[in-house]
Amino acid sequence: MGDERRYGEDEVREIFAGAAREGPASLPASVAPIDGGLTLGELQAVSLEVGLSAERVARAAATLDARAGVLPRRKLLGFPISAGRVTDLPREATEREWQFLVAELRATFDAKGEVSAEGGVREWSNGNLHAVLEQTAAGHRLRLGTLKGDARETTALGVIGLVMALILAVIMTAAGREGAALIMPAVIGLAGAGALAANALRLPRWAGERERQMEHVAAWTRELLSAPPKE
């Protein structure tokens, strides 16, 4: 197939290293990609010579392909508020395989979600989290994405708290009120700063966890669809 995915030299090394981590096996001493790269079938042929199973190589290749589709994070005041990825698929999923994917999504994200289909597009969604199987000009793809729903509200509260604290402090100081009178703006300011500090701690962790979950789902789906569909 002329449009079959071909892996460059660095990608070949990463795939074999990933496959070798799954169990005892030796890495090939050297693999020189030919004609612009090696296909998955060619990689699997080489893997058999060094004791790596074709299945392990396919999983490692799927993981590599899944990582390539990470979407840029949307940010608010420097904090990530979204996560997403797009993964090209080897072929269209059957109805049975779609049900398998829905089950994997529910297990991975610990959410039941809702399933819908329209015009050849299949979607699983749970609030702002969604997974979409859709057609493209080149074939089929899986699109995953989510948005942290409460990030804007928490950030707004933090900023408003700091601004209010500053305004109150200026007014009270101008009115000659000092000492204990400034406790109120100090408390409001601390609350605002605390909200922003909480975002600084939780949002990067949240985005990282969602991206790892999406990477797992993308790799799992590519592996599922790497084999011909079963009747």
Side-chain angles (χ1 to χ4, degrees), residues 112-124:
K112 186 177 187 300
E114 297 181 355
V115 177
S116 62
E118 182 179 359
V121 177
R122 297 165 174 167
E123 181 174 6
W124 174 88

Side-chain angles (χ1 to χ4, degrees), residues 73 78-80 198-209 212:
R73 296 175 176 179
F79 306 138
N199 274 355
L201 292 174
R202 71 188 181 103
L203 292 179
R205 288 202 301 263
W206 167 84
E209 176 63 18
R212 285 189 293 272

Side-chain angles (χ1 to χ4, degrees), residues 29-41:
S30 64
V31 178
I34 56 176
D35 296 331
L38 295 176
T39 66
L40 177 58

Side-chain angles (χ1 to χ4, degrees), residues 78-186:
F79 306 138
I81 61 172
S82 75
R85 69 171 51 245
V86 175
T87 302
D88 292 329
L89 300 175
R91 59 174 174 81
E92 184 177 13
T94 65
E95 182 61 32
R96 186 165 180 262
E97 289 166 338
W98 167 240
Q99 295 301 326
F100 288 158
L101 175 56
V102 169
E104 187 65 22
L105 288 165
R106 287 170 171 166
T108 300
F109 295 106
D110 192 23
K112 186 177 187 300
E114 297 181 355
V115 177
S116 62
E118 182 179 359
V121 177
R122 297 165 174 167
E123 181 174 6
W124 174 88
S125 61
N126 186 76
N128 292 327
L129 176 64
H130 62 268
V132 181
L133 285 181
E134 57 191 5
Q135 296 181 0
T136 67
H140 301 271
R141 71 180 182 183
L142 170 65
R143 180 163 48 86
L144 298 156
T146 188
L147 182 70
K148 188 62 171 172
D150 63 350
R152 295 182 186 278
E153 290 79 3
T154 306
T155 301
L157 287 173
V159 172
I160 290 172
L162 290 176
V163 172
M164 287 183 61
L166 178 61
I167 293 174
L168 284 174
V170 170
I171 292 174
M172 290 181 175
T173 301
R177 302 177 65 181
E178 300 178 352
L182 297 178
I183 291 179
M184 180 179 293

